[in-house]
Amino acid sequence: MSTRDAEAGSRTLVRGLRILRHFEGGVEGISQAEMSTLLDIPLPTIGRLCRALCDEGFLEREENGRRLRLGPTIRQLSRVSLPSSDDMEQRWMQELQREFSEDINMAVLDGPDVLYVASRRGGQTLNVYTPIGTRARAHSVAAGKALLAELDESELIDALGPGPYEQATLKTIGTWPELTEQLAAIRTEGVARTWEEYSDGVASVARALPPPTHGRQAAIAVTMPTARATPERIEEVVRRISELW
């Protein structure tokens, strides 16, 4: 294969991946014309790429044949790689998204990290969307702290070690005494909060879901820019997330 052919193949692959990434955040269906405009790729090229993606099962056409959605291959890969969430958890996420128009995430503990297994993009122009499959240090995010608060001391040591802990920002907790003090407060209130501990300009409120019969316990978080995270709004989120489960 010539260098020119290899470069053309790479461009085609990147364009195909850009099409798939457009479906992040729960986008249900989109036409090829809309995709061409949004991605700034010529419509004939979009047509060829979408046919190839449909042939391999990465995309499929909706019943009317005019719009495309993620296909069975993507759904199968998701089931293999990530824990699933049940209908009730999805309804809670949808309700929080509808009420606050902020980014809603669900995560599980995975060693010292949290793994995001579900995500809904908020309706605001400025958001802090976290794609499914993202990992973060559990002690630095609200969902992680909510889940760590469910563990006893020996389980905490097994998951995180005695510290010091990696600091993503100047506000990230870094020591065992800081961690245990915060987790005690979370157990009392039932809700975890973070303010610029994982990323500057980001605030989050999270609560652990009831322990499941099978599988790992999860937590749902409402995440927003600090510019919108007024004390009144944070308390409103705390109240609502405490009522749902």
Side-chain angles (χ1 to χ4, degrees):
M1 179 184 293
S2 68
T3 301
R4 180 175 296 179
D5 289 340
E7 290 176 351
S10 296
R11 285 196 300 272
T12 299
L13 175 60
V14 168
R15 283 174 162 177
L17 293 173
R18 286 180 63 199
I19 289 173
L20 294 177
R21 288 200 63 183
H22 179 74
F23 290 88
E24 288 181 351
V27 174
E28 292 296 333
I30 185 170
S31 70
Q32 291 182 183
E34 291 169 330
M35 204 176 293
S36 174
T37 300
L38 289 168
L39 300 179
D40 194 26
I41 297 175
L43 185 56
T45 303
I46 286 287
R48 290 194 298 272
L49 291 169
C50 288
R51 281 194 297 274
L53 290 168
C54 286
D55 288 345
E56 296 298 325
F58 290 101
L59 293 178
E60 64 183 6
R61 294 193 178 276
E62 294 184 346
E63 287 73 13
N64 61 19
R66 295 180 180 178
R67 302 178 74 81
L68 293 159
R69 62 191 178 195
L70 292 177
T73 299
I74 293 292
R75 293 194 292 272
Q76 181 61 35
L77 288 172
S78 297
R79 285 194 292 270
V80 168
S81 61
L82 296 172
S84 61
S85 55
D86 64 25
D87 291 341
M88 182 61 73
E89 293 162 353
Q90 290 292 338
R91 285 198 293 272
W92 287 333
M93 292 180 67
Q94 185 176 16
E95 187 164 341
L96 289 168
Q97 180 195 42
R98 183 170 56 247
E99 186 164 343
F100 296 107
S101 294
E102 300 290 359
D103 297 289
I104 314 298
N105 322 118
M106 183 163 64
V108 297
L109 279 178
D110 190 33
D113 299 336
V114 289
L115 173 65
Y116 288 90
V117 298
S119 193
R120 287 181 172 270
R121 194 188 299 272
Q124 308 279 359
T125 302
L126 176 63
N127 60 49
V128 284
Y129 175 69
T130 304
I132 293 172
T134 299
R135 290 178 177 273
R137 291 301 188 191
H139 67 278
S140 68
V141 294
K145 289 184 182 181
L147 292 168
L148 292 173
E150 298 290 306
L151 306 180
D152 61 30
E153 184 171 322
S154 64
E155 291 171 326
L156 272 174
I157 291 289
D158 287 343
L160 298 185
Y165 306 115
E166 178 182 337
Q167 292 187 275
T169 74
L170 293 176
K171 296 182 180 179
T172 311
I173 58 174
T175 67
W176 175 260
E178 288 178 301
L179 176 66
T180 53
E181 181 180 357
Q182 283 201 13
L183 296 184
I186 292 167
R187 293 185 187 107
T188 298
E189 186 179 16
V191 173
R193 312 168 189 229
T194 56
W195 185 277
E196 296 188 323
E197 294 182 46
Y198 176 65
S199 180
D200 291 333
V202 175
S204 189
V205 175
R207 188 174 184 218
L209 294 165
T213 305
H214 304 287
R216 286 179 280 181
Q217 188 173 11
I220 290 177
V222 180
T223 305
M224 67 193 80
T226 53
R228 289 198 298 271
T230 63
E232 295 78 14
R233 186 164 180 79
I234 291 293
E235 291 309 314
E236 187 180 357
V237 172
V238 168
R239 176 191 59 77
R240 191 70 185 103
I241 208 170
S242 299
E243 291 174 346
L244 282 175
W245 63 88

